[in-house]
Each structure stands twice: as structure tokens, then as C-alpha cells.
């Protein structure tokens, strides 16, 4: 571990490289753990993104990719429930992004995160036309999923979402399932369910909580999930569990592709339905109005958000770790944990993650197992175990 890596100034500034676009601020189901509605200020925003906001957003996107000569600019359509925006708007957005790509040479991959309830053949056609990849929120089997993901009338949504997931798998659409960990349930139940659905890419995310809360321990669950991952991929890769692959990537000294693992700046830019721009949307778990800014795409270019005080504070906090994290042997791999999980009303983000002890245990277990499985090849063809090589050095 390099000591200077703990200094957030060592991370060079770069232009915004992806957008999270909130095309809807309302939802059609009532999930008990949803971070979005912890902040009542979302109700002050328009329910859906208007044509005027969309038009201005597309102008800003093209202006941004041209100014910074970007080769790729991923966009995630999000909510609330983004499918409430409608097929016609999705088609319009995808066609406009194709036009920008044709004019600029910048690839603009589009993804959507949805609860899946509204998915039908019309939506599948839309996703295929627009080459839109889909992340579907599906908490594994029905007895887990329906504990938290319910309708406003209190009934479960699992049957509808499983049907949607199977429909997505049956078509030529990139799909990943997003589950939230329930530490009381065996990880094998998740793995068996996703395998039965034909879903090979999925994530089991750590439940959102701040330092002011007392969530249950998750270490045993994720140690078990790592064992499930190893068993599933021992001879042939049959399952990609994102959080596991991200942690392994980080332990091996590489940057993980998602913001919850590894010591790197979180530079996500969130565009709201009214065109205002904020930092990472999950930071809303800190409370009402915590992410609100006066910055908007009508008066500002996208990259100007880097000077917006609340956006900049969140970005800097993502890499300026507390003293305990800076002294930890897993600092670079863990990166202090997911930024929202470090928040407290007393200290802001200057805290270890509420899951700090669990994360340490998870990384320690994973490192131990990897050291027993990984080998270095020598020029003479012999192999040296990673554990022995590290001990010798």
C-alpha cells in the first residue's frame, strides 16, 4: 500500500465520464428499503422528465463529448421507476444518442435500472431497438424478494418481476439482476434461483445504511457468497457475481468498475427530471434536501458541476478517508466502503463505514482463500503459491 494514495489530491481531475439520468421521480411499487424516498424533497420534482428538459440534456451531452473528445459516455436511465417515462420517450432518447454518436464518434451505451413490473413485449422491442441494457431489481426467490419489494396494497411483486427477468433472458438484451442482501437467508438460495432463471450476471448488494443506524452483520453472508462463487466457477465460469468480482479485482490491485469497492473518486453526475444536477443519488439517505443544488443543465455545462460545492464535497469525501481507513491494510482494496455508508449527522462522511468490521472480515477471508488458489509461474514452468511468494518477499 502506498501511503500517498490516501491523499485525495493525488487523484487527478477528469471530465465527467458518465451520467445517471432521473427520467421519473415516482415509483409504482413500495420497497421498504428504498433510499430514494428517504428524502422527501424528491416529491418537489416533476414526476417525469419533460420534452424541454430532454432536449436541453441532449444538447449538453453532445456539447460535453465534443469538448472533451470522449470515446465513450455511458448513460443510465433511472428513477423512481424509469419505465413510467414510456416507450416513446425511450425510443426518442436512444435515437438522439445514436445521432450524437454518428456526429461525434463517441459511443453512448444506454442502460436502465428497473423494478421490472411494467416489462412486456413492447418494452423488450424497445430495448432491442435502442440497444439498451437492463438491470432488473430482483431479490432472488419469492420468499426473500416479497419481504421488501411489495405493491402499495401490500402484495408481493415477485411473480411479475421473475416473469420479466425470464422474458429479458429470452431476448437478445444484456441483463443483470440486482438483489439486496438479506443476511438471514443463505446465499445459495439466491444463486440457485438466478441459475434457474438463466441469469448469469447478478449482484447482491450491501443494504444501505448510515453510521447513525445499526444494520445486522453481513460478513457471514458474503463469506458464504464467495464460497458459492468459487464453487460455480471452479472449472468453467458459470456465474458472475458483481460484488465478488469487484472485490477480487480490487484485492489484486486493479480498479473495480463500480463505485462501492476500491479507493477512487466517485464522480457520478445525476440529472433530475427538472434539469437540476446533483451528486450521487444514493447520498439521499443522508436526509431531506441533502443533495439539492442550484446547478442545472439550462444554465450550466455538464462539467461545470465539478465546481458545485455539494458535488465537490461528495467527490472529495469519497477519496479523503478517515484516520482508521488510512491505517488499514485493505485501504486501497476497500476504499473505505460505499460512500453513503460512511455518513453520520455528527461527522458527515469522516467515518469508517457502518459495515467496517464486516468489510475487513470479508476482505481478509477473500485474501486468505486467494492466496491458497493463486500461483506465479516461473520461467522453468514450475509454480509458486502466491502465499509463499509473498512470505518470501
Amino acid at each position: 500500500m502506498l501511503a500517498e494514495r490516501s491523499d485525495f489530491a493525488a487523484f487527478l481531475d477528469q471530465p465527467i465520464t458518465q451520467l445517471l439520468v432521473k427520467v421519473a421521480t415516482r415509483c409504482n411499487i413500495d420497497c421498504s428499503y428504498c433510499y430514494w424516498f428517504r428524502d422527501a424533497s424528491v416529491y418537489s420534482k416533476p414526476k417525469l422528465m419533460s420534452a424541454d428538459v430532454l432536449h436541453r440534456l441532449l444538447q449538453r451531452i453532445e456539447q460535453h463529448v465534443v469538448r472533451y473528445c470522449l470515446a465513450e459516455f455511458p448513460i443510465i436511465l433511472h428513477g423512481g421507476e424509469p419505465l413510467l417515462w414510456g416507450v416513446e420517450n425511450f425510443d426518442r432518447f436512444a435515437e438522439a444518442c445514436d445521432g450524437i454518436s454518428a456526429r461525434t464518434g463517441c459511443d453512448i451505451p444506454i442502460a436502465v435500472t428497473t423494478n421490472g413490473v411494467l416489462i412486456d413485449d413492447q418494452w423488450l422491442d424497445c430495448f432491442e431497438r435502442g440497444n439498451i441494457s437492463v438491470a432488473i431489481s430482483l431479490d432472488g426467490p419469492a420468499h426473500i424478494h416479497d419481504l421488501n419489494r411489495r405493491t402499495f396494497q401490500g402484495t408481493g411483486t415477485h411473480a411479475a418481476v421473475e416473469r420479466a427477468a425470464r422474458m429479458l433472458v429470452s431476448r437478445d438484451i444484456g441483463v443483470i439482476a440486482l438483489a439486496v442482501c438479506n443476511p438471514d437467508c443463505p446465499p445459495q438460495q439466491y444463486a440457485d434461483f438466478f441459475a434457474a432463471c438463466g441469469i448469469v450476471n447478478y449482484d447482491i448488494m450491501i443494504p444501505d445504511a448510515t453510521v447513525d443506524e445499526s444494520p445486522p452483520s453481513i460478513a457471514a453472508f458474503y463469506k458464504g457468497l464467495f464460497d458459492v462463487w468459487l464453487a460455480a466457477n471452479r472449472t468453467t465460469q458459470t456465474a458472475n457475481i458483481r460484488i465478488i468480482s469487484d472485490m477480487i479485482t480490487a484485492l489484486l490491485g486493479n480498479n473495480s468498475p463500480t463505485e462501492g469497492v476500491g479507493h477512487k473518486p466517485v464522480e457520478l453526475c445525476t440529472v433530475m427530471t427538472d434539469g437540476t444536477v446533483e451528486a450521487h443519488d444514493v447520498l439521499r439517505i443522508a436526509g431531506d434536501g441533502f443533495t439539492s443544488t442550484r446547478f442545472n443543465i439550462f444554465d450550466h455545462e455538464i462539467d461545470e458541476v465539478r465546481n458545485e460545492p455539494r458535488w465537490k464535497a461528495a467527490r472529495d469525501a469519497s477519496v479523503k478517508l478517515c484516520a482508521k481507513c488510512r491505517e488499514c491494510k485493505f485501504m486501497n482494496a476497500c476504499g473505505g466502503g460505499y460512500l453513503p455508508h460512511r455518513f453520520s449527522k455528527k461527522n458527515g462522511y469522516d467515518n469508517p463505514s457502518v459495515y467496517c468490521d464486516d468489510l475487513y472480515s470479508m476482505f481478509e477471508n477473500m485474501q486468505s482463500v486467494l492466496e491458497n488458489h493463486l500461483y506465479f509461474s516461473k520461467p522453468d514452468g514450475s509454480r509458486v503459491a502466491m502465499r509463499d511468494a509473498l512470505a518470501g518477499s
Side-chain angles (χ1 to χ4, degrees):
M1 180 185 74
L2 300 177
E4 62 266 24
R5 289 276 291 172
S6 65
D7 182 0
F8 72 95
F11 293 95
L12 300 177
D13 286 346
Q14 61 178 351
I16 298 297
T17 56
Q18 65 172 324
L19 285 185
L20 185 71
V21 180
K22 295 287 184 175
V23 297
T25 56
R26 306 298 192 270
C27 194
N28 55 342
I29 65 174
D30 186 23
C31 300
S32 62
Y33 51 53
C34 181
Y35 66 83
W36 182 244
F37 294 105
R38 287 200 193 190
D39 180 358
S41 70
V42 299
Y43 293 107
S44 68
K45 300 294 183 181
K47 294 180 180 179
L48 301 173
M49 180 173 285
S50 69
D52 288 342
V53 175
L54 174 59
H55 177 70
R56 189 56 170 162
L57 173 61
L58 291 166
Q59 288 180 326
R60 290 300 191 190
I61 290 170
E62 184 159 4
Q63 179 186 51
H64 185 71
V65 300
V66 168
R67 178 176 180 180
Y68 294 101
C69 300
L70 299 181
E72 183 180 66
F73 192 58
I75 296 175
I76 302 171
L77 303 180
H78 214 272
E81 171 46 46
L83 300 196
L84 294 172
W85 201 38
V87 169
E88 290 185 359
N89 281 319
F90 269 69
D91 282 338
R92 188 175 295 114
F93 185 80
E95 290 170 6
C97 288
D98 283 344
I100 294 172
S101 294
R103 291 188 293 273
T104 65
C106 176
D107 184 28
I108 304 180
I110 303 173
V112 60
T113 300
T114 173
N115 61 41
V117 170
L118 296 177
I119 290 178
D120 56 15
D121 286 326
Q122 187 181 20
W123 274 110
L124 298 182
D125 294 341
C126 171
F127 298 148
E128 286 190 336
R129 280 193 304 272
N131 194 27
I132 299 171
S133 60
V134 179
I136 185 168
S137 297
L138 176 55
D139 281 353
H143 68 279
I144 304 176
H145 178 99
D146 284 342
L147 286 173
N148 296 297
R149 304 189 66 82
R150 305 175 71 83
T151 68
F152 285 98
Q153 292 73 39
T155 58
T157 62
H158 185 269
V161 183
E162 180 182 351
R163 175 178 175 272
R166 291 180 180 273
M167 292 173 70
L168 287 165
V169 170
S170 73
R171 301 279 285 266
D172 187 22
I173 298 168
V175 60
I176 181 173
L178 304 180
V180 175
C181 162
N182 183 330
D184 293 330
C185 299
Q188 189 67 54
Q189 293 182 358
Y190 291 83
D192 291 345
F193 171 78
F194 289 129
C197 289
I199 296 174
V200 296
N201 294 307
Y202 58 93
D203 196 5
I204 304 181
M205 300 179 294
I206 296 173
D208 283 323
T210 69
V211 174
D212 296 323
E213 300 171 76
S214 300
S217 175
I218 57 170
F221 178 92
Y222 283 101
K223 289 178 183 178
L225 186 64
F226 181 48
D227 292 340
V228 168
W229 179 88
L230 279 174
N233 297 288
R234 192 170 298 278
T235 56
T236 304
Q237 184 172 356
T238 60
N240 176 34
I241 306 175
R242 187 170 68 179
I243 190 169
I244 300 299
S245 59
D246 282 0
M247 291 178 70
I248 291 172
T249 296
L251 270 175
L252 295 178
N254 299 312
N255 283 332
S256 68
T258 51
E259 70 271 10
V261 178
H263 187 213
K264 58 187 182 295
V266 175
E267 299 188 317
L268 191 64
C269 179
T270 302
V271 180
M272 299 294 291
T273 53
D274 60 355
T276 53
V277 182
E278 303 179 355
H280 200 315
D281 65 323
V282 183
L283 302 183
R284 287 184 177 275
I285 69 172
D288 289 356
F290 192 82
T291 62
S292 298
T293 73
R294 295 183 178 180
F295 186 92
N296 67 81
I297 58 172
F298 290 95
D299 300 325
H300 306 88
E301 297 181 14
I302 288 173
D303 213 57
E304 289 182 65
V305 75
R306 300 181 62 82
N307 297 318
E308 201 287 321
R310 286 194 171 181
W311 187 93
K312 190 174 185 298
R315 186 268 186 192
D316 291 349
S318 69
V319 288
K320 188 176 183 181
L321 306 183
C322 70
K324 181 178 180 181
C325 292
R326 294 197 303 271
E327 296 168 0
C328 178
K329 68 177 181 178
F330 295 119
M331 185 199 79
N332 286 329
C334 176
Y338 198 26
L339 181 59
H341 301 169
R342 297 185 226 160
F343 181 81
S344 74
K345 292 179 180 178
K346 180 180 179 181
N347 298 324
Y349 297 104
D350 189 23
N351 305 288
S353 167
V354 68
Y355 293 108
C356 178
D357 292 342
D358 289 307
L359 292 169
Y360 188 94
S361 180
M362 290 154 58
F363 276 109
E364 192 164 53
N365 171 70
M366 187 173 287
Q367 178 176 277
S368 175
V369 173
L370 290 175
E371 286 175 348
N372 288 325
H373 282 76
L374 294 183
Y375 295 84
F376 294 104
S377 294
K378 298 177 68 174
D380 61 4
S382 62
R383 299 192 304 177
V384 177
M386 179 179 173
R387 181 186 295 275
D388 295 338
L390 290 175
S393 63

